[in-house]
Amino acid sequence: MTLIPSQLKNALKNGKAIPFIGAGVSISVKNKTDGELLFPSWKTLLEQAGTRLEAEGKQDEASIVKAYVKTNRLLDAAKEAKQALAANWFPFLKQQFDPNSNDAEPESLELARRLWKLGSNLVITTNYDRVLRWACPPDQKDDLAEWDIEAPAERIRIDCVSVANHNLIRLLDEPGNNGEA
């Protein structure tokens, strides 16, 4: 049995806990067509980056990425893949992390839905995908404010977060924005 500290219980009860969401929420989402994961794991993403590099005719770079993945040096693999894919890096990430919401098995979004039920109107994530948007309560979805902390204009506006609406702050820049990622 997991013991939840009383301070956390009180924060949850009073809607004062701010969920910080990582890849575990997204990796639970399944493709409704085949039941497979809708999003790649970190390791699978980098393996696919190696495959993409091969398709781009960059065999040496692909070999380096694959060797880093094989030896579990995933951060090195990501750096190499980003550098080697260059202008194709963001389109590659978008392809991996931006499927249509209709592709998701509705039941597999339950974990993400439960996060919004914790009572906080603010959720912070490091995820590129849209799972938290998909899981936002239907009556709040139109009012959901999404903030990219890395996007320059959003950094200025971040202190204006409304506690009346649901807010989602991304700590990574979305693929395709002008900020660095």
Side-chain angles (χ1 to χ4, degrees):
M1 181 173 180
T2 303
L3 180 63
I4 299 174
S6 62
Q7 186 176 7
L8 179 56
K9 282 183 186 178
N10 288 334
L12 287 167
K13 179 180 171 186
N14 297 318
K16 301 287 185 191
I18 299 173
F20 186 96
I21 308 307
V25 171
S26 301
I27 205 75
S28 69
V29 179
K30 307 283 190 231
N31 187 316
K32 75 176 175 186
T33 303
D34 58 14
E36 297 292 320
L37 297 177
L38 189 57
F39 300 99
S41 67
W42 184 224
K43 188 172 185 175
T44 301
L45 172 73
L46 295 170
E47 290 169 344
Q48 291 172 348
T51 301
R52 175 71 181 268
L53 285 166
E54 289 174 338
E56 298 290 331
K58 297 183 174 189
Q59 304 304 324
D60 293 341
E61 292 89 340
S63 295
I64 293 168
V65 169
K66 289 182 174 191
Y68 280 144
V69 171
K70 186 176 182 178
T71 58
N72 251 358
R73 294 175 57 189
L74 302 183
L75 186 55
D76 291 326
K79 287 177 183 176
E80 181 65 31
K82 180 181 179 184
Q83 181 180 348
L85 283 170
N88 291 322
W89 178 245
F90 286 120
F92 168 75
L93 289 179
K94 188 165 178 58
Q95 179 184 21
Q96 304 299 315
F97 293 111
D98 197 21
N100 189 298
S101 62
N102 293 325
D103 294 341
E105 177 62 48
E107 293 81 25
S108 69
L109 293 169
E110 186 57 30
L111 176 59
R113 282 190 202 101
R114 287 177 183 233
L115 293 168
W116 290 113
K117 292 178 183 176
L118 289 175
S120 175
N121 283 339
L122 176 63
V123 174
I124 298 175
T125 186
T126 55
N127 296 352
Y128 286 123
D129 61 64
R130 302 269 181 226
V131 169
L132 292 168
R133 170 173 271 291
W134 300 344
C136 185
D139 62 327
Q140 291 285 319
K141 202 171 281 190
D142 289 341
D143 296 324
L144 177 66
E146 293 185 67
W147 306 82
D148 267 335
I149 201 155
E150 291 292 329
E154 306 252 334
R155 273 187 255 150
I156 295 168
R157 296 180 10 192
I158 205 75
D159 62 349
C160 302
V161 172
S162 167
V163 292
N165 296 325
H166 280 65
N167 294 273
L168 177 60
I169 298 177
R170 294 182 194 284
L171 296 182
L172 297 172
D173 190 30
E174 272 188 68
N177 278 351
N178 292 330
E180 292 291 320

